[in-house]
Amino acid sequence: WLLYLGYGVLGGIGLGIGYISPVSTLIKWFPDRPGLATGLAIMGFGGGAMVASPLSRQLLSFYDPAYDPANSGSTASGPALVWLFVTLGVGYFVIMMFGVFNVRVPAPDWRPAGFDPARVADKPLVTTANVSAANAVRTRSFWLLWVVLFCNVTAGIGILEQASPMIQDFFREGGTSAVSVAAAGGFVGLLSLFNMAGRFVWSSTSDVIGRKPIYMVYLGVGMVLYLLLALVGQTATALFVLLACVILSFYGGGFAAVPAYLRDLFGTFEVGAIHGRLLTAWSAAGVAGPLIVNAFLDAQGEPGTLTAAAYRPALFTMVGVLAVGLVANLLVRPVPQRYHEPASGRDETGPGQPVTAERSGS
């Protein structure tokens, strides 16, 4: 029960706080490029697993010499696991304290050099007003965006969860796969890289083309890619890898662009709190995505012993999920004025006498 309470409940709460705080802060420092800022931060979040997983294995082998990190069947001792948690806990504490003493929000009237809020306001769906978290959850746009994120994550996590057995099963003939276990592991690592890169590249692109259009790409092009994966993915390994990698880049990009989307719709006043409420869609999708995929696969047999045909019903279902998200994104509209906060003292992006400065000097 200590593991569930400490690692699950308290660790989960800390994860959410640590995820949202720097993202909402960066949005305020980069009003001219919110997609770039959130993409950088959330790319770091996605890249953390690439560091923590191998580091954890090496630490376990350090604390328990009998443990072999290269052998998937090897199990570390209980004391080694305890010391792993202690070591990571101390390391995380030091890093988080660095953030505590260095991360600051800008002054309410601060502006980057050369930044004109009026130009931002001319873009579709971008507001210079602010909406509180309590009012945001009462708007239709918030719940439409909740559906958008839920559908994008559900589709992406469905592939991510079964990535290793999936690529082996797609190229299985006569009970033997042309893709080795080691190659499948490399494929999972490649997906992680595209997941990270998508968080930065696609989110930065949204600063140019807009948040709503970039989600049209995630969802609309994603539907086409899922169809291709289901119908022709088994014809060539390179084609399968390419399709899966682009799909996972959209999955990562959906995470990174959503804080900027919220900033466009609701302003910066309580964007962190609004982001936290919206991320319940991520939690729900983390349950729904694997359940949907596993329900189809369990009816066919054991993943890792199947063929490409066994995955098609799940992939077609994900096309339908993305279609729902696409419709929801099309229906997103500016927040009605009745939900806006009073301008005095709370409008961080609106008219006034701004202080203009370089970011590094503020």
Side-chain angles (χ1 to χ4, degrees):
W1 68 267
L2 279 172
L3 185 65
Y4 281 104
L5 174 63
Y7 185 70
V9 177
L10 298 179
I13 292 171
L15 178 71
I17 295 172
Y19 179 91
I20 292 170
S21 300
V23 173
S24 59
T25 303
L26 276 171
I27 289 176
K28 297 172 183 178
W29 280 106
F30 290 81
D32 49 343
R33 290 173 289 175
L36 169 69
T38 59
L40 281 169
I42 297 177
M43 180 177 68
F45 181 85
M50 296 185 66
V51 176
S53 293
L55 175 62
S56 296
R57 290 193 293 269
Q58 294 304 315
L59 284 172
L60 284 174
S61 65
F62 175 76
Y63 291 126
D64 181 4
Y67 170 72
D68 181 7
N71 181 5
S72 60
S74 180
T75 304
S77 65
L81 187 61
V82 170
W83 280 109
L84 169 67
F85 275 104
V86 171
T87 304
L88 292 179
V90 171
Y92 293 155
F93 177 80
V94 171
I95 294 170
M96 295 299 276
M97 286 302 101
F98 178 82
V100 167
F101 288 110
N102 286 278
V103 175
R104 296 288 185 273
V105 295
D109 55 356
W110 179 83
R111 302 285 182 268
F115 173 63
D116 181 6
R119 287 185 302 179
V120 177
D122 289 338
K123 297 181 180 179
L125 289 182
V126 179
T127 183
T128 56
N130 286 290
V131 181
S132 68
N135 279 333
V137 297
R138 296 166 56 196
T139 65
R140 185 178 70 168
S141 290
F142 175 88
W143 292 107
L144 287 170
L145 201 53
W146 193 99
V147 173
V148 168
L149 184 62
F150 172 82
C151 292
N152 189 66
V153 174
T154 298
I157 211 168
I159 278 194
L160 194 59
E161 193 240 352
Q162 293 289 354
S164 181
M166 185 177 181
I167 190 171
Q168 295 177 73
D169 289 342
F170 258 68
F171 299 95
R172 186 180 305 281
E173 289 184 11
T176 303
S177 177
V179 179
S180 67
V181 174
F187 170 65
V188 174
L190 187 62
L191 289 183
S192 297
L193 287 175
F194 272 81
N195 183 5
M196 278 181 59
R199 295 173 188 231
F200 174 68
V201 173
W202 295 121
S203 187
S204 299
T205 303
S206 74
D207 286 336
V208 179
I209 69 174
R211 250 60 72 175
K212 191 170 185 176
I214 200 68
Y215 275 90
M216 299 298 292
V217 173
Y218 297 154
L219 300 163
V221 178
M223 292 170 60
V224 175
L225 295 179
Y226 264 101
L227 280 172
L228 291 174
L229 190 66
L231 298 175
V232 299
Q234 76 279 10
T235 57
T237 307
L239 177 62
F240 178 93
V241 170
L242 176 64
L243 292 172
C245 284
V246 177
I247 288 173
L248 260 293
S249 77
F250 289 165
Y251 165 76
F255 277 123
V258 81
Y261 208 161
L262 290 173
R263 179 254 170 267
D264 291 349
L265 288 170
F266 303 106
T268 59
F269 171 44
E270 291 186 343
V271 68
I274 298 170
H275 188 202
R277 287 158 173 77
L278 190 78
L279 286 181
T280 56
W282 177 12
S283 302
V287 175
L291 281 179
I292 292 171
V293 173
N294 292 340
F296 283 108
L297 296 183
D298 289 345
Q300 302 288 334
E302 179 71 22
T305 62
L306 305 173
T307 61
Y311 288 82
R312 289 194 183 111
L315 294 175
F316 289 146
T317 301
M318 293 307 168
V319 173
V321 169
L322 289 174
V324 173
L326 184 68
V327 172
N329 188 54
L330 286 170
L331 295 175
V332 172
R333 297 289 184 272
V335 175
Q337 189 173 355
R338 66 180 181 274
Y339 295 110
H340 293 174
E341 290 293 295
S344 59
R346 288 188 173 179
D347 191 349
E348 299 181 24
T349 56
Q353 301 299 322
V355 177
T356 301
E358 295 296 336
R359 290 185 182 91
S360 59
S362 299

